[in-house]
Amino acid sequence: MVEQIKDKLGRPIRDLRLSVTDRCNFRCDYCMPKEIFGDDYVFLPKDELLTFDEMVRISKVYARLGVKKIRITGGEPLLRRNLDQLIAQLVQIEGIEDIGLTTNGLLLKKHGQKLYDAGLRRINVSLDAIDNEVFKALNNRNIKATTILEQIDYAVSIGFDVKVNVVVQKGVNDDQIIPMLEYFKHKDIEIRFIEFMDVGNDNGWDFSKVVSKDDMLSMIEQHFEVTPVEPKYFGEVAKYYRHEDNGVKFGLITSVSQSFCSTCTRARLSSDGKFYGCLFATVDGFNVKEFMRSGVTDEELLEQFKALWQVRDDRYSDERTEQTVANRRRKKINMNYIGG
Ligand code: SF4
Protein backbone atom coordinates (compact mmCIF):
# COMPACT_ATOMS: atom_id res chain seq x y z
CA MET A 1 0.00 0.00 0.00
CA VAL A 2 1.35 3.39 -0.99
CA GLU A 3 1.21 6.10 1.63
CA GLN A 4 0.95 9.52 -0.03
CA ILE A 5 3.11 12.09 1.70
CA LYS A 6 3.83 15.71 0.90
CA ASP A 7 6.62 18.07 1.81
CA LYS A 8 6.15 21.50 3.42
CA LEU A 9 5.39 23.05 0.03
CA GLY A 10 2.78 20.40 -0.83
CA ARG A 11 5.01 18.42 -3.21
CA PRO A 12 4.62 14.63 -3.25
CA ILE A 13 7.61 12.33 -3.61
CA ARG A 14 7.84 10.60 -6.98
CA ASP A 15 11.50 10.24 -7.94
CA LEU A 16 14.56 8.83 -6.28
CA ARG A 17 18.02 9.62 -7.57
CA LEU A 18 20.62 7.15 -6.44
CA SER A 19 24.26 8.09 -6.79
CA VAL A 20 26.19 4.82 -7.00
CA THR A 21 29.74 6.19 -7.04
CA ASP A 22 31.65 9.44 -6.51
CA ARG A 23 34.23 8.50 -9.16
CA CYS A 24 34.30 9.61 -12.78
CA ASN A 25 36.53 8.97 -15.79
CA PHE A 26 36.07 12.58 -17.01
CA ARG A 27 37.27 15.79 -15.39
CA CYS A 28 34.73 18.33 -16.60
CA ASP A 29 35.41 21.78 -15.20
CA TYR A 30 31.88 22.34 -13.92
CA CYS A 31 31.68 19.06 -12.03
CA MET A 32 35.07 17.52 -11.18
CA PRO A 33 37.77 20.00 -12.19
CA LYS A 34 41.18 18.33 -12.63
CA GLU A 35 42.89 20.84 -10.34
CA ILE A 36 40.82 19.52 -7.41
CA PHE A 37 40.18 15.93 -8.48
CA GLY A 38 43.81 15.13 -9.31
CA ASP A 39 45.75 11.86 -9.02
CA ASP A 40 46.03 12.21 -5.25
CA TYR A 41 42.33 12.91 -4.67
CA VAL A 42 40.87 10.47 -2.16
CA PHE A 43 37.57 8.98 -3.28
CA LEU A 44 35.20 7.17 -0.98
CA PRO A 45 36.40 3.77 0.21
CA LYS A 46 34.15 0.85 -0.72
CA ASP A 47 32.55 0.50 2.70
CA GLU A 48 31.47 4.15 2.63
CA LEU A 49 29.32 3.48 -0.43
CA LEU A 50 25.85 2.06 -0.07
CA THR A 51 25.78 -1.62 -1.02
CA PHE A 52 23.33 -2.82 -3.67
CA ASP A 53 21.28 -4.56 -0.98
CA GLU A 54 21.03 -1.29 0.90
CA MET A 55 19.98 0.59 -2.24
CA VAL A 56 17.32 -1.98 -3.02
CA ARG A 57 16.00 -1.81 0.53
CA ILE A 58 15.89 1.99 0.40
CA SER A 59 14.11 1.88 -2.96
CA LYS A 60 11.51 -0.58 -1.68
CA VAL A 61 10.73 1.66 1.28
CA TYR A 62 10.54 4.74 -0.94
CA ALA A 63 8.19 2.91 -3.31
CA ARG A 64 5.82 2.58 -0.35
CA LEU A 65 5.89 6.38 -0.06
CA GLY A 66 5.00 7.00 -3.69
CA VAL A 67 8.32 6.87 -5.57
CA LYS A 68 7.69 5.61 -9.10
CA LYS A 69 10.90 6.53 -10.88
CA ILE A 70 14.49 5.78 -10.02
CA ARG A 71 17.44 7.40 -11.73
CA ILE A 72 20.94 5.99 -11.29
CA THR A 73 23.61 8.70 -11.20
CA GLY A 74 27.18 9.19 -10.04
CA GLY A 75 29.94 10.32 -10.50
CA GLU A 76 29.92 8.07 -13.51
CA PRO A 77 27.62 5.16 -12.65
CA LEU A 78 29.12 2.75 -15.18
CA LEU A 79 32.27 2.73 -13.04
CA ARG A 80 30.36 0.93 -10.29
CA ARG A 81 31.15 -2.74 -10.65
CA ASN A 82 28.29 -5.14 -11.47
CA LEU A 83 25.75 -2.36 -11.84
CA ASP A 84 23.53 -4.74 -13.82
CA GLN A 85 22.97 -6.69 -10.61
CA LEU A 86 21.47 -3.61 -9.00
CA ILE A 87 19.26 -2.91 -12.02
CA ALA A 88 18.01 -6.50 -12.06
CA GLN A 89 16.76 -6.06 -8.50
CA LEU A 90 15.35 -2.56 -8.91
CA VAL A 91 13.19 -3.50 -11.90
CA GLN A 92 11.38 -6.03 -9.74
CA ILE A 93 10.28 -3.59 -7.05
CA GLU A 94 6.52 -3.21 -6.91
CA GLY A 95 5.46 0.34 -7.74
CA ILE A 96 8.65 1.32 -9.57
CA GLU A 97 7.53 2.08 -13.12
CA ASP A 98 10.63 3.59 -14.61
CA ILE A 99 14.39 3.27 -14.17
CA GLY A 100 16.83 5.55 -15.95
CA LEU A 101 20.58 6.02 -15.90
CA THR A 102 22.59 9.17 -16.49
CA THR A 103 26.06 8.53 -17.91
CA ASN A 104 28.86 10.18 -19.86
CA GLY A 105 28.51 7.22 -22.25
CA LEU A 106 32.15 6.20 -22.44
CA LEU A 107 31.56 2.67 -21.18
CA LEU A 108 28.31 1.86 -22.94
CA LYS A 109 29.86 -0.64 -25.33
CA LYS A 110 31.48 -2.39 -22.39
CA HIS A 111 28.44 -2.58 -20.10
CA GLY A 112 25.38 -1.70 -22.20
CA GLN A 113 24.29 -5.20 -23.14
CA LYS A 114 24.45 -6.48 -19.55
CA LEU A 115 22.42 -3.50 -18.36
CA TYR A 116 19.86 -4.03 -21.10
CA ASP A 117 19.58 -7.71 -20.24
CA ALA A 118 19.06 -6.74 -16.59
CA GLY A 119 16.03 -4.66 -17.60
CA LEU A 120 17.34 -1.12 -18.05
CA ARG A 121 15.73 0.63 -21.02
CA ARG A 122 16.39 4.35 -20.68
CA ILE A 123 19.72 6.14 -20.76
CA ASN A 124 20.56 9.83 -20.69
CA VAL A 125 24.00 10.60 -22.09
CA SER A 126 25.63 13.83 -20.98
CA LEU A 127 27.50 15.16 -23.98
CA ASP A 128 28.43 18.83 -24.01
CA ALA A 129 29.95 19.12 -27.50
CA ILE A 130 30.06 17.39 -30.85
CA ASP A 131 33.29 18.95 -32.03
CA ASN A 132 36.20 16.76 -30.94
CA GLU A 133 38.46 19.61 -29.87
CA VAL A 134 35.75 21.40 -27.90
CA PHE A 135 34.76 18.14 -26.24
CA LYS A 136 38.34 17.23 -25.34
CA ALA A 137 38.80 20.64 -23.72
CA LEU A 138 35.63 20.05 -21.70
CA ASN A 139 36.31 16.53 -20.44
CA ASN A 140 40.03 17.08 -19.76
CA ARG A 141 40.69 13.42 -20.56
CA ASN A 142 41.39 13.72 -24.26
CA ILE A 143 38.21 11.84 -25.11
CA LYS A 144 36.75 12.64 -28.51
CA ALA A 145 33.08 13.40 -29.08
CA THR A 146 33.09 10.84 -31.90
CA THR A 147 33.97 8.15 -29.35
CA ILE A 148 30.82 8.96 -27.40
CA LEU A 149 28.74 9.15 -30.59
CA GLU A 150 29.82 5.59 -31.40
CA GLN A 151 28.81 4.47 -27.92
CA ILE A 152 25.42 6.10 -28.39
CA ASP A 153 24.94 4.35 -31.74
CA TYR A 154 25.74 1.08 -30.04
CA ALA A 155 23.28 1.70 -27.20
CA VAL A 156 20.54 2.54 -29.71
CA SER A 157 21.37 -0.56 -31.76
CA ILE A 158 20.75 -2.86 -28.80
CA GLY A 159 17.41 -1.25 -28.06
CA PHE A 160 17.98 1.53 -25.52
CA ASP A 161 15.89 4.67 -25.56
CA VAL A 162 18.71 7.25 -25.49
CA LYS A 163 18.41 10.96 -24.78
CA VAL A 164 21.30 13.40 -24.90
CA ASN A 165 21.78 16.18 -22.33
CA VAL A 166 23.94 19.23 -23.01
CA VAL A 167 24.85 21.78 -20.35
CA VAL A 168 25.28 25.04 -22.25
CA GLN A 169 27.89 27.55 -21.09
CA LYS A 170 28.18 30.89 -22.81
CA GLY A 171 31.41 31.23 -24.76
CA VAL A 172 32.37 27.62 -24.01
CA ASN A 173 30.00 25.39 -25.97
CA ASP A 174 27.05 27.52 -27.10
CA ASP A 175 28.41 27.21 -30.64
CA GLN A 176 27.64 23.47 -30.38
CA ILE A 177 23.87 23.90 -30.15
CA ILE A 178 23.18 24.07 -33.89
CA PRO A 179 25.53 21.29 -35.04
CA MET A 180 24.30 19.00 -32.24
CA LEU A 181 20.69 19.69 -33.05
CA GLU A 182 21.38 18.94 -36.71
CA TYR A 183 23.20 15.70 -35.93
CA PHE A 184 20.69 14.27 -33.47
CA LYS A 185 17.72 15.36 -35.55
CA HIS A 186 18.95 13.04 -38.29
CA LYS A 187 19.62 10.28 -35.77
CA ASP A 188 16.07 10.61 -34.41
CA ILE A 189 17.47 11.07 -30.89
CA GLU A 190 16.01 13.55 -28.46
CA ILE A 191 18.50 16.17 -27.27
CA ARG A 192 17.99 18.56 -24.36
CA PHE A 193 19.93 21.75 -23.78
CA ILE A 194 20.22 22.71 -20.13
CA GLU A 195 20.84 26.19 -18.76
CA PHE A 196 24.13 26.20 -16.83
CA MET A 197 23.58 26.08 -13.06
CA ASP A 198 25.70 26.76 -9.98
CA VAL A 199 25.83 23.13 -8.86
CA GLY A 200 28.56 22.06 -6.46
CA ASN A 201 31.33 24.37 -5.32
CA ASP A 202 33.87 24.22 -8.05
CA ASN A 203 32.17 25.13 -11.30
CA GLY A 204 32.99 28.86 -11.51
CA TRP A 205 29.37 29.73 -12.22
CA ASP A 206 27.91 33.20 -12.56
CA PHE A 207 24.82 34.58 -14.30
CA SER A 208 26.88 35.85 -17.24
CA LYS A 209 27.72 32.25 -18.23
CA VAL A 210 24.07 31.25 -18.63
CA VAL A 211 22.53 31.08 -22.10
CA SER A 212 18.82 31.42 -21.40
CA LYS A 213 16.18 29.24 -23.02
CA ASP A 214 14.88 32.27 -24.92
CA ASP A 215 18.33 32.99 -26.32
CA MET A 216 18.80 29.34 -27.27
CA LEU A 217 15.43 29.26 -28.97
CA SER A 218 16.03 32.38 -31.03
CA MET A 219 19.41 30.96 -32.10
CA ILE A 220 17.71 27.68 -33.08
CA GLU A 221 14.89 29.42 -34.96
CA GLN A 222 17.39 31.07 -37.24
CA HIS A 223 18.40 27.62 -38.50
CA PHE A 224 15.39 25.34 -38.12
CA GLU A 225 11.61 25.44 -38.46
CA VAL A 226 10.33 24.31 -35.06
CA THR A 227 6.99 24.20 -33.26
CA PRO A 228 6.31 23.94 -29.50
CA VAL A 229 5.02 20.64 -28.11
CA GLU A 230 2.37 20.53 -25.37
CA PRO A 231 3.78 19.27 -22.03
CA LYS A 232 3.18 15.55 -21.47
CA TYR A 233 2.49 16.01 -17.78
CA PHE A 234 2.33 18.74 -15.19
CA GLY A 235 5.81 19.64 -14.00
CA GLU A 236 7.72 18.37 -17.04
CA VAL A 237 11.11 20.07 -16.66
CA ALA A 238 11.94 20.56 -20.35
CA LYS A 239 10.09 22.83 -22.75
CA TYR A 240 9.77 20.68 -25.86
CA TYR A 241 9.80 21.59 -29.55
CA ARG A 242 9.54 19.57 -32.72
CA HIS A 243 11.39 19.92 -36.00
CA GLU A 244 8.75 20.76 -38.60
CA ASP A 245 10.29 18.61 -41.33
CA ASN A 246 10.87 15.27 -39.61
CA GLY A 247 8.99 15.62 -36.30
CA VAL A 248 11.98 14.86 -34.03
CA LYS A 249 11.65 16.45 -30.59
CA PHE A 250 14.21 18.43 -28.62
CA GLY A 251 14.02 20.15 -25.25
CA LEU A 252 15.25 23.25 -23.50
CA ILE A 253 15.62 23.00 -19.74
CA THR A 254 15.02 26.32 -18.04
CA SER A 255 16.73 25.52 -14.76
CA VAL A 256 17.74 29.15 -14.22
CA SER A 257 15.43 31.40 -16.26
CA GLN A 258 12.16 29.61 -15.33
CA SER A 259 12.88 27.36 -12.37
CA PHE A 260 10.60 24.46 -11.55
CA CYS A 261 10.99 23.94 -7.80
CA SER A 262 7.22 24.00 -7.25
CA THR A 263 6.96 20.66 -9.08
CA CYS A 264 10.21 19.13 -7.80
CA THR A 265 9.37 15.67 -6.49
CA ARG A 266 12.92 14.29 -6.29
CA ALA A 267 14.70 12.75 -3.31
CA ARG A 268 18.43 12.16 -3.62
CA LEU A 269 20.73 9.65 -2.03
CA SER A 270 24.38 10.65 -2.29
CA SER A 271 27.13 8.14 -3.01
CA ASP A 272 28.07 8.19 0.69
CA GLY A 273 24.51 7.29 1.67
CA LYS A 274 23.03 10.62 2.76
CA PHE A 275 19.59 12.00 1.99
CA TYR A 276 19.20 15.35 0.21
CA GLY A 277 15.99 17.08 -0.74
CA CYS A 278 17.70 19.39 -3.23
CA LEU A 279 20.60 19.47 -5.65
CA PHE A 280 21.76 22.68 -3.98
CA ALA A 281 21.64 21.47 -0.39
CA THR A 282 24.23 22.99 1.90
CA VAL A 283 23.67 21.26 5.20
CA ASP A 284 25.10 17.75 5.41
CA GLY A 285 22.25 15.36 4.66
CA PHE A 286 20.76 12.80 7.03
CA ASN A 287 23.04 9.75 7.09
CA VAL A 288 20.74 6.99 5.85
CA LYS A 289 23.64 4.54 5.55
CA GLU A 290 24.61 4.81 9.22
CA PHE A 291 20.97 4.72 10.28
CA MET A 292 20.42 1.49 8.35
CA ARG A 293 23.63 -0.05 9.59
CA SER A 294 22.55 0.59 13.18
CA GLY A 295 20.02 -2.20 12.66
CA VAL A 296 16.72 -0.35 12.15
CA THR A 297 13.63 -2.09 10.82
CA ASP A 298 11.96 -1.23 7.51
CA GLU A 299 9.15 0.48 9.45
CA GLU A 300 11.67 2.69 11.25
CA LEU A 301 13.31 3.49 7.94
CA LEU A 302 9.94 4.38 6.44
CA GLU A 303 9.13 6.69 9.34
CA GLN A 304 12.51 8.36 8.96
CA PHE A 305 12.04 8.89 5.21
CA LYS A 306 8.60 10.32 5.89
CA ALA A 307 9.95 12.73 8.46
CA LEU A 308 12.75 13.86 6.15
CA TRP A 309 10.29 14.55 3.33
CA GLN A 310 7.70 16.26 5.48
CA VAL A 311 10.14 18.96 6.63
CA ARG A 312 11.51 19.58 3.13
CA ASP A 313 11.10 23.17 1.98
CA ASP A 314 13.92 23.49 -0.60
CA ARG A 315 13.31 25.79 -3.54
CA TYR A 316 16.78 27.07 -4.26
CA SER A 317 16.37 27.75 -7.98
CA ASP A 318 13.20 29.76 -7.36
CA GLU A 319 15.14 31.97 -4.99
CA ARG A 320 18.42 32.20 -6.92
CA THR A 321 19.91 35.70 -6.98
CA GLU A 322 23.50 36.98 -7.01
CA GLN A 323 23.18 37.06 -3.21
CA THR A 324 21.93 33.50 -2.68
CA VAL A 325 24.69 32.26 -4.98
CA ALA A 326 27.29 34.15 -2.96
CA ASN A 327 25.84 32.88 0.33
CA ARG A 328 26.06 29.25 -0.71
CA ARG A 329 29.48 29.48 -2.30
CA ARG A 330 31.76 26.70 -1.05
CA LYS A 331 29.02 25.16 1.08
CA LYS A 332 27.09 22.98 -1.34
CA ILE A 333 27.34 19.26 -1.82
CA ASN A 334 29.59 18.44 -4.73
CA MET A 335 27.99 17.05 -7.85
CA ASN A 336 30.04 13.85 -7.91
CA TYR A 337 28.35 12.88 -4.62
CA ILE A 338 24.82 13.81 -5.52
CA GLY A 339 24.49 13.39 -9.32
CA GLY A 340 23.21 16.11 -11.65
S1 SF4 B 1 16.62 23.80 -6.90
FE1 SF4 B 1 16.26 22.05 -5.56
S2 SF4 B 1 14.07 22.08 -5.15
FE2 SF4 B 1 14.42 23.41 -6.95
S3 SF4 B 1 14.12 22.03 -8.72
FE3 SF4 B 1 16.33 22.01 -8.24
S4 SF4 B 1 16.59 20.23 -6.88
FE4 SF4 B 1 14.39 20.71 -6.93
Side-chain angles (χ1 to χ4, degrees), residues 232-246:
K232 259 200 281 183
Y233 53 89
F234 176 70
E236 197 172 39
V237 296
K239 310 270 184 287
Y240 280 103
Y241 300 83
R242 213 179 271 293
H243 290 283
E244 283 272 338
D245 52 357
N246 71 351

Side-chain angles (χ1 to χ4, degrees), residues 11 260-261 264 266 268 278-280 312 314 316-317:
R11 298 168 294 190
F260 30 77
C261 298
C264 180
R266 293 183 281 277
R268 295 165 186 273
C278 179
L279 181 56
F280 299 91
R312 174 184 187 249
D314 302 272
Y316 176 76
S317 285

Side-chain angles (χ1 to χ4, degrees), residues 117-131:
D117 293 345
L120 185 70
R121 293 292 178 269
R122 296 201 314 105
I123 290 181
N124 287 357
V125 178
S126 306
L127 177 70
D128 287 349
I130 197 164
D131 176 274

Side-chain angles (χ1 to χ4, degrees), residues 214-245:
D214 288 348
D215 287 348
M216 289 193 241
L217 187 58
S218 44
M219 196 188 294
I220 289 165
E221 284 175 333
Q222 287 172 28
H223 292 82
F224 303 96
E225 292 268 325
V226 301
T227 41
V229 176
E230 284 297 309
K232 259 200 281 183
Y233 53 89
F234 176 70
E236 197 172 39
V237 296
K239 310 270 184 287
Y240 280 103
Y241 300 83
R242 213 179 271 293
H243 290 283
E244 283 272 338
D245 52 357

